[in-house]
């Protein structure tokens, strides 16, 4: 009997996998913090004999090279990927034996990248699972625009062909196990559901239900901004990532925190947005540890800028470090735990700003204030508050001067991104109110919500 265990990377919206039999296993697209993969193998009593990459990742730093070195496993990387380390180059049709009657076969599926490879796990000659990486996802495909703009349409057409290749070659009951599509910005559209099969994808996936020209046109029309840190992930993976260091950072006292702020470094408060709004170190930014910390902090922070983390507990700090190493933010410059009373110098007071609902916003009358929408363009296209200003959250830090004068009531779809934006505006000295409410409540509160169609 075979097993497949998914290793969730919820903050990044990805999954890695450990699959094998009674004695041996293969790790697919492992995260940089490889201790989770090693622990899964230990629980099952199997040796990791092979590590495979579906592609050189654009959205996270891989742990594949280090995992292979520690376990002695063969490290399989698509032959078309240009890397700076020794590996087993994988070509279309290559197979490896994982365990008794358990074989992993490589299937070239270009589209997300030119060199992308999927891997089909077969037991006793019967395909049982396909590790599709950034190719065929749940109800969608991986985006084709992360490599080079001039290749985007070509790769979009390749995605269509690759999806059909998998669908034509595999039985309907074959489980489809993608790396992306659970919230990752590597997905070309929001995936729906947690599990799927080839048969289900044949019925619902646009790559398999639409002709190639329609598919490509709709795919390209739906692409949005690429997280800025993606530009650094592929080069790091191609060079061969260094081992992670998750030891506790240097402790920052109140004077050190103040000095780092004065030097223009980033001080990031990991507490929830409610606690941050009630009281925080002036000049610090709020990226909730329980939100998409790695994605949004790595997207907004100038690459290489020193970051000091403020956490409410040692456990929260450790979890944040783990999230951040996955996107190449390897070592915080310093860190502190506790709360504002522990982080402020004697005589200093905590900064704060109010939170509100859409009903309270409606009571203000939007003509006397600034309403700032920080959602993505695709979200706004479905409806926005009349008269509101639109600046996506990932642009706020470099477009503060574009926010009109006045008290800024900032909102997103649910509150988390509004909290980030409010903290950035507050640090810049603006009067801000964070609307911590679901956007569905805007119209019900009496606000005029308009669309492109009017």
């Amino acid at each position: 009997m075979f097993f497949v265990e998914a290793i969730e990377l919820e903050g990044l919206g990805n999954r890695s996998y450990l699959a094998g039999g009674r004695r041996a296993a293969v790790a697919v697209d492992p995260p940089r913090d490889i201790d989770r993969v090693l622990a899964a193998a230990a629980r099952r009593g199997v040796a990791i004999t092979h590590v495979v990459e579906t592609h050189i990742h654009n959205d996270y730093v891989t742990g594949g090279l280090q995992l292979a070195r520690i376990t002695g496993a063969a490290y399989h990387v698509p032959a078309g990927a240009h890397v700076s380390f020794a590996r087993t180059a994988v070509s279309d049709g290559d197979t490896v034996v994982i365990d008794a009657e358990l074989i992993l076969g490589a299937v070239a599926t270009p589209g997300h990248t030119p060199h992308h490879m999927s891997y089909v796990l077969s037991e006793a000659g019967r395909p049982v699972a396909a590790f599709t990486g950034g190719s065929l996802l749940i109800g969608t495909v991986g985006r084709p625009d992360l490599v080079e703009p001039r290749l985007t349409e070509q790769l979009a057409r390749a995605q269509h062909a690759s999806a059909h290749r998998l669908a034509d070659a595999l039985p309907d009951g074959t489980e489809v196990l993608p790396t992306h599509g659970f919230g990752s910005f590597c997905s070309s559209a929001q995936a729906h559901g947690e599990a799927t099969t080839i048969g289900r994808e044949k019925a619902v996936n646009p790559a398999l239900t639409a002709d190639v020209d329609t598919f490509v046109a709709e795919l390209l029309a739906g692409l949005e901004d690429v997280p800025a840190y993606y530009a650094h992930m592929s080069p790091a993976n191609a060079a061969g990532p260094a081992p992670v260091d998750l030891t506790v950072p240097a402790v920052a006292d109140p004077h050190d925190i103040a000095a780092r702020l004065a030097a223009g470094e980033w001080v990031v408060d990991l507490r929830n947005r409610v606690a941050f709004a009630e009281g925080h170190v002036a000049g610090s930014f709020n990226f909730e540890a329980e939100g998409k910390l790695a994605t949004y902090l790595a997207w907004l922070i100038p690459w290489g800028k020193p970051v000091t983390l403020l956490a409410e507990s040692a456990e929260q700090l450790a979890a944040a470090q783990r999230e951040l190493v996955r996107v190449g933010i390897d070592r915080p410059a310093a860190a502190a735990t506790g709360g504002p009373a522990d982080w402020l110098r004697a005589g200093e007071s905590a900064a704060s700003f109010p939170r509100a609902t859409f009903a309270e916003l409606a009571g203000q009358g939007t003509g006397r204030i600034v309403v700032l929408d920080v959602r993505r363009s695709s979200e706004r296209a479905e409806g926005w508050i009349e008269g509101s200003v639109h600046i996506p959250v990932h642009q706020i830090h470099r477009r503060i001067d574009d926010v009109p004068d006045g008290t800024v009531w900032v909102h997103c779809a649910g509150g988390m991104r509004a909290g980030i934006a409010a903290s950035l505006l507050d640090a810049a000295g603006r009067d801000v109110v964070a609307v911590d409410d679901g956007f569905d409540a805007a119209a019900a509160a009496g606000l005029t919500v308009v669309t492109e169609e009017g």
Side-chain angles (χ1 to χ4, degrees), residues 248-324:
V248 179
V251 176
D253 64 22
H255 292 282
D256 189 36
I257 292 170
R260 291 184 179 281
L261 283 168
E265 298 182 11
W266 277 36
V267 174
V268 172
D269 191 326
L270 300 169
R271 295 174 302 146
N272 69 67
R273 58 186 182 268
V274 176
F276 183 88
E278 290 176 349
H280 55 269
V281 177
S284 62
F285 303 140
N286 182 217
F287 290 80
E288 292 181 305
E290 300 304 318
K292 294 177 76 69
L293 169 67
T295 294
Y296 283 105
L297 179 54
W299 196 340
L300 270 67
I301 192 170
W303 198 250
K305 175 82 74 173
V307 59
T308 294
L309 300 178
L310 305 181
E312 62 185 2
S313 67
E315 291 76 18
Q316 186 179 69
L317 174 61
Q321 281 185 260
R322 183 178 289 271
E323 284 274 326
L324 294 176

Side-chain angles (χ1 to χ4, degrees), residues 344-421:
L344 293 167
R345 294 173 295 186
E348 287 183 324
S349 298
S352 65
F353 54 77
R355 296 166 48 252
T357 63
F358 280 110
E360 290 170 305
L361 172 58
Q364 291 292 308
T366 57
R368 301 191 302 274
I369 59 173
V370 178
V371 179
L372 177 62
D373 181 349
V374 298
R375 297 174 300 159
R376 297 189 303 275
S377 296
S378 62
E379 296 172 285
R380 184 170 169 88
E382 295 178 1
W384 65 88
I385 296 172
E386 186 176 39
S388 62
V389 176
H390 181 226
I391 304 177
V393 67
H394 60 274
Q395 298 178 12
I396 291 289
H397 64 300
R398 50 192 170 81
R399 293 184 59 190
I400 293 287
D401 292 342
D402 292 341
V403 180
D405 294 337
T407 299
V408 183
W409 288 61
V410 58
H411 80 85
C412 59
M416 185 268 289
R417 287 172 292 173
I420 294 173

Side-chain angles (χ1 to χ4, degrees), residues 14 26 38 55-56 103 108 111 125 151 192 267 304 322 337 385 432:
N14 287 327
V26 56
L38 294 169
H55 59 295
I56 300 300
I103 293 175
L151 297 180
H192 299 284
V267 174
R322 183 178 289 271
T337 58
I385 296 172
V432 64

Side-chain angles (χ1 to χ4, degrees), residues 171-191:
D172 284 356
T174 307
E175 194 171 7
V176 175
L177 301 171
T179 299
H180 305 312
F182 308 96
S184 168
F185 282 91
C186 270
S187 178
S188 63
Q190 181 62 48

